[in-house]
Amino acid sequence: MYRPMDFSTGFCVAGKDVEEFLQDKLSYMGMNEKEINDFMVYWLPQMQDNSYNIISFQKNNYVETAVLDVTPVPDTSIRVFMAWKKSANKVDIKTQQLDKVERKGFTLVEWGGGEVMDKYKENKLE
């Protein structure tokens, strides 16, 4: 079942600051250096030249719709799905509270994301 991305909380990050922002938040959520690097290699080029990026990590929204059945059951699960969209201007958004994860034992890591585009603006900046 599809659920729209939830931007009721999140972050508005200038393109020039997005690398440092992602390093900090992904580490906080439990990803290691290699995982963060892989995430950044994919997403940073799409975000760093934007005036601003509105970012919201979709943990509950994503985990509830993309259910995993893993055997053996992991001791720790880190599932990061970042929804983001470009913005020409700084936007006030209620700060999202993220879960700090400490890795223990067998750890499952899944990361992904998606750029949310307004179909009526034909991919133009807000």
Side-chain angles (χ1 to χ4, degrees), residues 40-92:
M40 301 280 265
V41 164
Y42 189 83
W43 289 113
L44 189 59
Q46 299 177 55
M47 302 173 79
Q48 65 188 356
D49 294 329
N50 300 332
S51 297
Y52 290 94
N53 299 282
I54 303 167
I55 300 168
S56 184
F57 295 97
Q58 302 293 304
K59 181 171 182 178
N60 293 339
N61 197 9
Y62 181 69
V63 170
E64 291 171 8
T65 56
V67 178
L68 291 180
D69 183 14
V70 179
T71 305
V73 175
D75 299 307
T76 305
S77 291
I78 300 169
R79 299 183 70 193
V80 175
F81 188 90
M82 176 186 71
W84 67 279
K85 52 187 172 180
K86 299 175 188 176
S87 179
N89 304 303
K90 186 171 183 173
V91 174
D92 287 328

Side-chain angles (χ1 to χ4, degrees), residues 10-57:
F11 309 89
C12 183
V13 182
K16 66 180 179 61
D17 299 328
V18 78
E19 181 174 6
E20 181 180 343
F21 168 84
L22 289 174
Q23 288 275 357
D24 179 59
K25 298 306 181 198
L26 297 173
S27 175
Y28 184 83
M29 290 187 286
M31 291 174 69
N32 67 29
E33 286 184 36
K34 182 183 181 325
E35 295 155 356
I36 292 170
N37 183 64
D38 290 346
F39 189 97
M40 301 280 265
V41 164
Y42 189 83
W43 289 113
L44 189 59
Q46 299 177 55
M47 302 173 79
Q48 65 188 356
D49 294 329
N50 300 332
S51 297
Y52 290 94
N53 299 282
I54 303 167
I55 300 168
S56 184
F57 295 97

